[in-house]
Amino acid sequence: IRLSTAVPLVDDSVMVVVLSPAAREGEARGVFRAVLSSARGRTAWQTPRERARATVQRACAVSALALMALYAALALAVFRARDRWGRARAAALVTVAALWVAVAALSPAGSGWASARALALAAAFAHHAWRVRRR
């Protein structure tokens, strides 16, 4: 019997392998579990909650980027020609700002710089929306 798994550590990985005759499978599984439970170190494994959080963060970032591209296209094609679209422009800017706030809120704990950039983008879009709405 061969039991093996890779343990992804932050800077490297470790391969744990236990070989045993088939007659001693129970003992091999016990040794395998004991070795895995005794391993110490920071792993790169993500919990299901961390994986879901990363997925939502990526979805928010992609949505914000897509809305920014759509807003840019609308700004070039329609908004310049028609000032009556002020409400729609403000709504688009507030939506993009809200998505950047979501990206900042969902950033992992150690990435303060990424959160700060996302919040700065959100503030810029919210400020521009406020100026558009005042007109």
Side-chain angles (χ1 to χ4, degrees), residues 103-120:
V103 169
L106 293 169
S107 292
S111 61
W113 184 242
S115 295
R117 284 189 316 227
L119 286 176

Side-chain angles (χ1 to χ4, degrees), residues 76-110:
L76 290 173
V78 178
F79 294 155
R80 280 190 175 174
R82 300 183 184 151
D83 283 341
R84 65 180 181 201
W85 282 55
R87 203 174 279 173
R89 289 173 66 190
L93 290 166
V94 167
T95 302
V96 171
L99 284 169
W100 280 117
V101 168
V103 169
L106 293 169
S107 292

Side-chain angles (χ1 to χ4, degrees), residues 62-81:
V62 167
S63 299
L65 291 172
L67 283 172
M68 285 170 32
L70 177 65
Y71 176 78
L74 286 173
L76 290 173
V78 178
F79 294 155
R80 280 190 175 174

Side-chain angles (χ1 to χ4, degrees), residues 10-72:
V10 172
D11 296 328
D12 204 359
S13 64
V14 175
M15 179 65 97
V16 177
V17 179
V18 173
L19 299 171
S20 162
R24 297 176 67 183
E25 180 181 351
E27 185 181 347
R29 288 190 185 279
V31 168
F32 188 65
R33 284 190 194 107
V35 169
L36 287 179
S37 66
S38 69
R40 299 288 179 254
R42 289 185 42 214
T43 65
W45 272 326
Q46 290 184 330
T47 64
R49 176 178 278 170
E50 290 170 334
R51 282 193 299 273
R53 183 180 187 172
T55 301
V56 170
Q57 182 184 13
R58 280 191 300 274
C60 287
V62 167
S63 299
L65 291 172
L67 283 172
M68 285 170 32
L70 177 65
Y71 176 78

